[in-house]
mmCIF file of all heavy atoms in Angstrom:
data_model
loop_
_atom_site.group_PDB
_atom_site.id
_atom_site.type_symbol
_atom_site.label_atom_id
_atom_site.label_comp_id
_atom_site.label_asym_id
_atom_site.label_seq_id
_atom_site.Cartn_x
_atom_site.Cartn_y
_atom_site.Cartn_z
ATOM 1 N N VAL A 1 99.624 96.682 109.926
ATOM 2 C CA VAL A 1 99.199 97.585 108.877
ATOM 3 C C VAL A 1 99.027 96.782 107.544
ATOM 4 O O VAL A 1 97.998 97.084 106.816
ATOM 5 C CB VAL A 1 100.300 98.737 108.705
ATOM 6 C CG1 VAL A 1 99.964 99.568 107.530
ATOM 7 C CG2 VAL A 1 100.319 99.473 109.980
ATOM 8 N N GLY A 2 99.839 95.876 107.255
ATOM 9 C CA GLY A 2 99.688 95.118 106.019
ATOM 10 C C GLY A 2 98.456 94.255 106.043
ATOM 11 O O GLY A 2 97.704 94.123 104.998
ATOM 12 N N THR A 3 98.074 93.788 107.215
ATOM 13 C CA THR A 3 96.763 93.014 107.329
ATOM 14 C C THR A 3 95.558 93.955 106.986
ATOM 15 O O THR A 3 94.727 93.580 106.254
ATOM 16 C CB THR A 3 96.629 92.478 108.695
ATOM 17 O OG1 THR A 3 97.734 91.585 109.070
ATOM 18 C CG2 THR A 3 95.363 91.730 108.872
ATOM 19 N N SER A 4 95.627 95.134 107.468
ATOM 20 C CA SER A 4 94.559 96.105 107.224
ATOM 21 C C SER A 4 94.507 96.489 105.712
ATOM 22 O O SER A 4 93.384 96.656 105.188
ATOM 23 C CB SER A 4 94.711 97.354 108.041
ATOM 24 O OG SER A 4 95.849 98.122 107.748
ATOM 25 N N VAL A 5 95.651 96.561 105.078
ATOM 26 C CA VAL A 5 95.741 96.793 103.643
ATOM 27 C C VAL A 5 95.019 95.709 102.898
ATOM 28 O O VAL A 5 94.356 95.929 101.909
ATOM 29 C CB VAL A 5 97.211 96.996 103.163
ATOM 30 C CG1 VAL A 5 97.233 97.086 101.668
ATOM 31 C CG2 VAL A 5 97.708 98.332 103.789
ATOM 32 N N ALA A 6 95.357 94.452 103.310
ATOM 33 C CA ALA A 6 94.725 93.332 102.735
ATOM 34 C C ALA A 6 93.231 93.318 102.848
ATOM 35 O O ALA A 6 92.509 92.903 101.890
ATOM 36 C CB ALA A 6 95.287 92.010 103.332
ATOM 37 N N LEU A 7 92.687 93.724 103.914
ATOM 38 C CA LEU A 7 91.245 93.884 104.150
ATOM 39 C C LEU A 7 90.672 95.011 103.150
ATOM 40 O O LEU A 7 89.550 94.758 102.637
ATOM 41 C CB LEU A 7 90.945 94.306 105.590
ATOM 42 C CG LEU A 7 91.293 93.260 106.622
ATOM 43 C CD1 LEU A 7 90.995 93.801 108.038
ATOM 44 C CD2 LEU A 7 90.399 91.975 106.414
ATOM 45 N N VAL A 8 91.404 96.046 103.031
ATOM 46 C CA VAL A 8 90.965 97.072 102.003
ATOM 47 C C VAL A 8 90.917 96.444 100.535
ATOM 48 O O VAL A 8 89.972 96.660 99.799
ATOM 49 C CB VAL A 8 91.863 98.268 102.037
ATOM 50 C CG1 VAL A 8 91.504 99.241 100.871
ATOM 51 C CG2 VAL A 8 91.726 99.014 103.340
ATOM 52 N N ALA A 9 91.909 95.606 100.299
ATOM 53 C CA ALA A 9 92.003 94.979 98.970
ATOM 54 C C ALA A 9 90.821 94.080 98.805
ATOM 55 O O ALA A 9 90.211 93.935 97.739
ATOM 56 C CB ALA A 9 93.274 94.205 98.832
ATOM 57 N N LEU A 10 90.475 93.359 99.907
ATOM 58 C CA LEU A 10 89.269 92.512 99.846
ATOM 59 C C LEU A 10 87.909 93.309 99.538
ATOM 60 O O LEU A 10 87.219 92.883 98.762
ATOM 61 C CB LEU A 10 89.151 91.741 101.130
ATOM 62 C CG LEU A 10 87.864 90.841 101.335
ATOM 63 C CD1 LEU A 10 87.869 89.784 100.296
ATOM 64 C CD2 LEU A 10 87.860 90.259 102.704
ATOM 65 N N ALA A 11 87.873 94.451 100.183
ATOM 66 C CA ALA A 11 86.687 95.273 99.966
ATOM 67 C C ALA A 11 86.699 95.718 98.566
ATOM 68 O O ALA A 11 85.639 95.780 97.930
ATOM 69 C CB ALA A 11 86.807 96.479 100.923
ATOM 70 N N ALA A 12 87.789 96.147 97.967
ATOM 71 C CA ALA A 12 87.947 96.545 96.649
ATOM 72 C C ALA A 12 87.543 95.429 95.590
ATOM 73 O O ALA A 12 86.927 95.644 94.610
ATOM 74 C CB ALA A 12 89.281 97.118 96.303
ATOM 75 N N LEU A 13 88.044 94.193 96.020
ATOM 76 C CA LEU A 13 87.735 93.078 95.119
ATOM 77 C C LEU A 13 86.136 92.797 95.123
ATOM 78 O O LEU A 13 85.562 92.515 94.102
ATOM 79 C CB LEU A 13 88.405 91.793 95.611
ATOM 80 C CG LEU A 13 88.088 90.466 94.831
ATOM 81 C CD1 LEU A 13 88.556 90.643 93.476
ATOM 82 C CD2 LEU A 13 88.825 89.297 95.655
ATOM 83 N N ILE A 14 85.527 92.921 96.282
ATOM 84 C CA ILE A 14 84.017 92.765 96.450
ATOM 85 C C ILE A 14 83.333 93.820 95.519
ATOM 86 O O ILE A 14 82.398 93.542 94.809
ATOM 87 C CB ILE A 14 83.576 92.826 97.918
ATOM 88 C CG1 ILE A 14 84.102 91.587 98.689
ATOM 89 C CG2 ILE A 14 82.084 92.884 97.881
ATOM 90 C CD1 ILE A 14 83.928 91.676 100.141
ATOM 91 N N ALA A 15 83.796 95.078 95.674
ATOM 92 C CA ALA A 15 83.200 96.227 94.904
ATOM 93 C C ALA A 15 83.356 95.863 93.385
ATOM 94 O O ALA A 15 82.478 96.154 92.599
ATOM 95 C CB ALA A 15 83.894 97.467 95.277
ATOM 96 N N TYR A 16 84.533 95.301 93.009
ATOM 97 C CA TYR A 16 84.771 95.058 91.576
ATOM 98 C C TYR A 16 83.833 93.855 91.051
ATOM 99 O O TYR A 16 83.336 94.010 90.026
ATOM 100 C CB TYR A 16 86.212 94.683 91.354
ATOM 101 C CG TYR A 16 86.635 94.294 89.929
ATOM 102 C CD1 TYR A 16 86.637 95.210 88.982
ATOM 103 C CD2 TYR A 16 86.778 92.927 89.688
ATOM 104 C CE1 TYR A 16 86.967 94.802 87.663
ATOM 105 C CE2 TYR A 16 87.106 92.521 88.295
ATOM 106 C CZ TYR A 16 87.148 93.494 87.323
ATOM 107 O OH TYR A 16 87.441 93.078 86.084
ATOM 108 N N ARG A 17 83.814 92.848 91.836
ATOM 109 C CA ARG A 17 83.046 91.656 91.469
ATOM 110 C C ARG A 17 81.510 91.930 91.392
ATOM 111 O O ARG A 17 80.839 91.415 90.533
ATOM 112 C CB ARG A 17 83.228 90.499 92.428
ATOM 113 C CG ARG A 17 84.681 89.930 92.376
ATOM 114 C CD ARG A 17 85.000 89.257 91.045
ATOM 115 N NE ARG A 17 84.095 88.138 90.787
ATOM 116 C CZ ARG A 17 84.346 86.892 91.236
ATOM 117 N NH1 ARG A 17 85.497 86.615 91.856
ATOM 118 N NH2 ARG A 17 83.505 85.877 91.051
ATOM 119 N N GLN A 18 81.089 92.893 92.252
ATOM 120 C CA GLN A 18 79.613 93.309 92.309
ATOM 121 C C GLN A 18 79.350 94.451 91.381
ATOM 122 O O GLN A 18 78.196 94.917 91.253
ATOM 123 C CB GLN A 18 79.277 93.729 93.728
ATOM 124 C CG GLN A 18 79.309 92.555 94.742
ATOM 125 C CD GLN A 18 78.352 91.424 94.395
ATOM 126 O OE1 GLN A 18 77.285 91.652 94.088
ATOM 127 N NE2 GLN A 18 78.869 90.216 94.539
ATOM 128 N N ARG A 19 80.354 94.882 90.589
ATOM 129 C CA ARG A 19 80.179 95.989 89.628
ATOM 130 C C ARG A 19 79.560 97.193 90.199
ATOM 131 O O ARG A 19 78.651 97.781 89.643
ATOM 132 C CB ARG A 19 79.334 95.498 88.439
ATOM 133 C CG ARG A 19 79.958 94.294 87.775
ATOM 134 C CD ARG A 19 79.124 93.872 86.542
ATOM 135 N NE ARG A 19 79.802 92.664 85.797
ATOM 136 C CZ ARG A 19 79.203 92.111 84.854
ATOM 137 N NH1 ARG A 19 78.034 92.533 84.276
ATOM 138 N NH2 ARG A 19 79.919 91.076 84.249
ATOM 139 N N LEU A 20 80.129 97.614 91.335
ATOM 140 C CA LEU A 20 79.602 98.824 92.032
ATOM 141 C C LEU A 20 80.209 100.067 91.465
ATOM 142 O O LEU A 20 79.752 101.151 91.906
ATOM 143 C CB LEU A 20 79.933 98.666 93.557
ATOM 144 C CG LEU A 20 79.367 97.434 94.234
ATOM 145 C CD1 LEU A 20 79.813 97.534 95.780
ATOM 146 C CD2 LEU A 20 77.853 97.429 94.170
ATOM 147 N N HIS A 21 81.231 99.947 90.657
ATOM 148 C CA HIS A 21 81.932 101.103 90.073
ATOM 149 C C HIS A 21 82.429 102.016 91.159
ATOM 150 O O HIS A 21 82.514 103.283 91.064
ATOM 151 C CB HIS A 21 80.998 101.871 89.093
ATOM 152 C CG HIS A 21 80.259 101.094 88.086
ATOM 153 N ND1 HIS A 21 81.054 100.664 87.011
ATOM 154 C CD2 HIS A 21 79.008 100.710 87.912
ATOM 155 C CE1 HIS A 21 80.215 99.997 86.221
ATOM 156 N NE2 HIS A 21 79.035 100.003 86.719
ATOM 157 N N LEU A 22 82.970 101.390 92.215
ATOM 158 C CA LEU A 22 83.592 102.117 93.357
ATOM 159 C C LEU A 22 84.974 101.592 93.558
ATOM 160 O O LEU A 22 85.619 102.130 94.541
ATOM 161 C CB LEU A 22 82.658 101.919 94.610
ATOM 162 C CG LEU A 22 81.364 102.664 94.661
ATOM 163 C CD1 LEU A 22 80.609 102.260 95.907
ATOM 164 C CD2 LEU A 22 81.595 104.157 94.592
ATOM 165 N N THR A 23 85.459 100.709 92.889
ATOM 166 C CA THR A 23 86.804 100.089 93.152
ATOM 167 C C THR A 23 87.860 101.075 93.070
ATOM 168 O O THR A 23 88.746 101.224 94.052
ATOM 169 C CB THR A 23 87.100 98.961 92.201
ATOM 170 O OG1 THR A 23 86.011 98.001 92.154
ATOM 171 C CG2 THR A 23 88.342 98.257 92.547
ATOM 172 N N ARG A 24 87.951 101.880 92.008
ATOM 173 C CA ARG A 24 89.008 102.919 91.870
ATOM 174 C C ARG A 24 88.931 103.939 92.923
ATOM 175 O O ARG A 24 89.970 104.327 93.517
ATOM 176 C CB ARG A 24 88.859 103.520 90.518
ATOM 177 C CG ARG A 24 89.986 104.575 90.153
ATOM 178 C CD ARG A 24 89.885 105.027 88.771
ATOM 179 N NE ARG A 24 90.921 106.093 88.454
ATOM 180 C CZ ARG A 24 90.770 107.315 88.563
ATOM 181 N NH1 ARG A 24 89.512 107.765 89.106
ATOM 182 N NH2 ARG A 24 91.660 108.193 88.347
ATOM 183 N N GLU A 25 87.679 104.418 93.263
ATOM 184 C CA GLU A 25 87.471 105.429 94.307
ATOM 185 C C GLU A 25 87.828 104.859 95.656
ATOM 186 O O GLU A 25 88.477 105.599 96.451
ATOM 187 C CB GLU A 25 86.033 105.928 94.267
ATOM 188 C CG GLU A 25 85.743 107.040 95.243
ATOM 189 C CD GLU A 25 84.362 107.602 95.002
ATOM 190 O OE1 GLU A 25 83.638 107.098 94.108
ATOM 191 O OE2 GLU A 25 83.972 108.425 95.878
ATOM 192 N N LEU A 26 87.591 103.613 95.906
ATOM 193 C CA LEU A 26 87.947 103.022 97.183
ATOM 194 C C LEU A 26 89.439 102.934 97.407
ATOM 195 O O LEU A 26 89.939 103.312 98.422
ATOM 196 C CB LEU A 26 87.258 101.657 97.211
ATOM 197 C CG LEU A 26 87.241 100.931 98.649
ATOM 198 C CD1 LEU A 26 86.107 99.989 98.757
ATOM 199 C CD2 LEU A 26 88.573 100.171 98.988
ATOM 200 N N LEU A 27 90.110 102.488 96.363
ATOM 201 C CA LEU A 27 91.622 102.313 96.379
ATOM 202 C C LEU A 27 92.243 103.713 96.542
ATOM 203 O O LEU A 27 93.243 103.883 97.320
ATOM 204 C CB LEU A 27 92.100 101.582 95.136
ATOM 205 C CG LEU A 27 91.691 100.111 95.075
ATOM 206 C CD1 LEU A 27 92.158 99.519 93.784
ATOM 207 C CD2 LEU A 27 92.258 99.291 96.267
ATOM 208 N N ILE A 28 91.748 104.697 95.787
ATOM 209 C CA ILE A 28 92.350 106.004 95.875
ATOM 210 C C ILE A 28 92.102 106.681 97.229
ATOM 211 O O ILE A 28 92.961 107.194 97.809
ATOM 212 C CB ILE A 28 91.767 106.968 94.771
ATOM 213 C CG1 ILE A 28 92.236 106.525 93.371
ATOM 214 C CG2 ILE A 28 92.118 108.393 95.025
ATOM 215 C CD1 ILE A 28 91.570 107.291 92.249
ATOM 216 N N ALA A 29 90.914 106.509 97.829
ATOM 217 C CA ALA A 29 90.594 106.912 99.123
ATOM 218 C C ALA A 29 91.523 106.367 100.172
ATOM 219 O O ALA A 29 92.057 107.075 101.104
ATOM 220 C CB ALA A 29 89.180 106.599 99.543
ATOM 221 N N ALA A 30 91.726 104.983 100.085
ATOM 222 C CA ALA A 30 92.614 104.324 101.050
ATOM 223 C C ALA A 30 94.062 104.745 100.892
ATOM 224 O O ALA A 30 94.697 105.001 101.889
ATOM 225 C CB ALA A 30 92.494 102.762 100.824
ATOM 226 N N ALA A 31 94.512 104.915 99.717
ATOM 227 C CA ALA A 31 95.931 105.447 99.495
ATOM 228 C C ALA A 31 96.058 106.797 99.964
ATOM 229 O O ALA A 31 97.090 107.152 100.598
ATOM 230 C CB ALA A 31 96.346 105.309 98.029
ATOM 231 N N ARG A 32 95.173 107.660 99.626
ATOM 232 C CA ARG A 32 95.160 109.085 100.090
ATOM 233 C C ARG A 32 95.158 109.178 101.568
ATOM 234 O O ARG A 32 95.882 109.957 102.189
ATOM 235 C CB ARG A 32 93.958 109.831 99.539
ATOM 236 C CG ARG A 32 93.893 111.272 99.909
ATOM 237 C CD ARG A 32 92.740 111.912 99.154
ATOM 238 N NE ARG A 32 92.486 113.312 99.621
ATOM 239 C CZ ARG A 32 91.672 114.138 99.131
ATOM 240 N NH1 ARG A 32 90.849 113.734 98.182
ATOM 241 N NH2 ARG A 32 91.596 115.361 99.679
ATOM 242 N N ALA A 33 94.227 108.348 102.267
ATOM 243 C CA ALA A 33 94.300 108.411 103.675
ATOM 244 C C ALA A 33 95.552 108.020 104.348
ATOM 245 O O ALA A 33 96.035 108.657 105.262
ATOM 246 C CB ALA A 33 93.106 107.450 104.207
ATOM 247 N N GLY A 34 96.170 107.013 103.762
ATOM 248 C CA GLY A 34 97.473 106.575 104.311
ATOM 249 C C GLY A 34 98.593 107.596 104.195
ATOM 250 O O GLY A 34 99.276 107.902 105.136
ATOM 251 N N VAL A 35 98.648 108.219 103.069
ATOM 252 C CA VAL A 35 99.614 109.353 102.778
ATOM 253 C C VAL A 35 99.368 110.496 103.713
ATOM 254 O O VAL A 35 100.259 111.112 104.357
ATOM 255 C CB VAL A 35 99.645 109.774 101.325
ATOM 256 C CG1 VAL A 35 100.548 110.931 101.124
ATOM 257 C CG2 VAL A 35 100.122 108.557 100.440
ATOM 258 N N GLN A 36 98.073 110.885 103.785
ATOM 259 C CA GLN A 36 97.708 112.063 104.657
ATOM 260 C C GLN A 36 98.036 111.766 106.058
ATOM 261 O O GLN A 36 98.512 112.687 106.824
ATOM 262 C CB GLN A 36 96.168 112.335 104.488
ATOM 263 C CG GLN A 36 95.802 112.887 103.109
ATOM 264 C CD GLN A 36 94.372 113.189 102.910
ATOM 265 O OE1 GLN A 36 93.884 113.740 101.992
ATOM 266 N NE2 GLN A 36 93.583 112.643 103.914
ATOM 267 N N LEU A 37 97.731 110.605 106.514
ATOM 268 C CA LEU A 37 97.992 110.303 107.924
ATOM 269 C C LEU A 37 99.486 110.272 108.328
ATOM 270 O O LEU A 37 99.904 110.740 109.387
ATOM 271 C CB LEU A 37 97.371 108.956 108.321
ATOM 272 C CG LEU A 37 95.885 108.925 108.432
ATOM 273 C CD1 LEU A 37 95.292 107.525 108.657
ATOM 274 C CD2 LEU A 37 95.366 109.819 109.605
ATOM 275 N N VAL A 38 100.263 109.796 107.431
ATOM 276 C CA VAL A 38 101.739 109.684 107.651
ATOM 277 C C VAL A 38 102.247 111.163 107.655
ATOM 278 O O VAL A 38 103.055 111.562 108.508
ATOM 279 C CB VAL A 38 102.387 108.956 106.550
ATOM 280 C CG1 VAL A 38 103.941 109.124 106.671
ATOM 281 C CG2 VAL A 38 102.089 107.494 106.732
ATOM 282 N N ALA A 39 101.810 112.058 106.655
ATOM 283 C CA ALA A 39 102.252 113.417 106.581
ATOM 284 C C ALA A 39 101.763 114.202 107.832
ATOM 285 O O ALA A 39 102.552 114.957 108.501
ATOM 286 C CB ALA A 39 101.656 114.075 105.343
ATOM 287 N N VAL A 40 100.520 114.037 108.236
ATOM 288 C CA VAL A 40 99.999 114.721 109.450
ATOM 289 C C VAL A 40 100.670 114.335 110.677
ATOM 290 O O VAL A 40 100.988 115.085 111.536
ATOM 291 C CB VAL A 40 98.500 114.515 109.537
ATOM 292 C CG1 VAL A 40 97.936 115.010 110.841
ATOM 293 C CG2 VAL A 40 97.787 115.219 108.403
ATOM 294 N N GLY A 41 100.998 112.884 110.780
ATOM 295 C CA GLY A 41 101.717 112.423 111.902
ATOM 296 C C GLY A 41 103.131 113.140 112.089
ATOM 297 O O GLY A 41 103.496 113.534 113.216
#
């Protein structure tokens, strides 16, 4: 799971470096998905 989190961080870094203005939305989506999945589980 930690490895997958690192991959999300890499995607967020790419979005930030490319100035896509999606970094915050990407991180929030990933965090929200994790919380939702744990709760639903």
Side-chain angles (χ1 to χ4, degrees):
V1 174
T3 301
S4 66
V5 171
L7 293 174
V8 171
L10 176 61
L13 177 62
I14 293 173
Y16 176 76
R17 294 293 298 272
Q18 295 298 316
R19 299 181 180 178
L20 302 180
H21 304 291
L22 290 174
T23 305
R24 182 172 179 271
E25 187 174 350
L26 193 155
L27 292 175
I28 290 176
R32 178 176 173 177
V35 172
Q36 288 176 175
L37 287 173
V38 171
V40 169

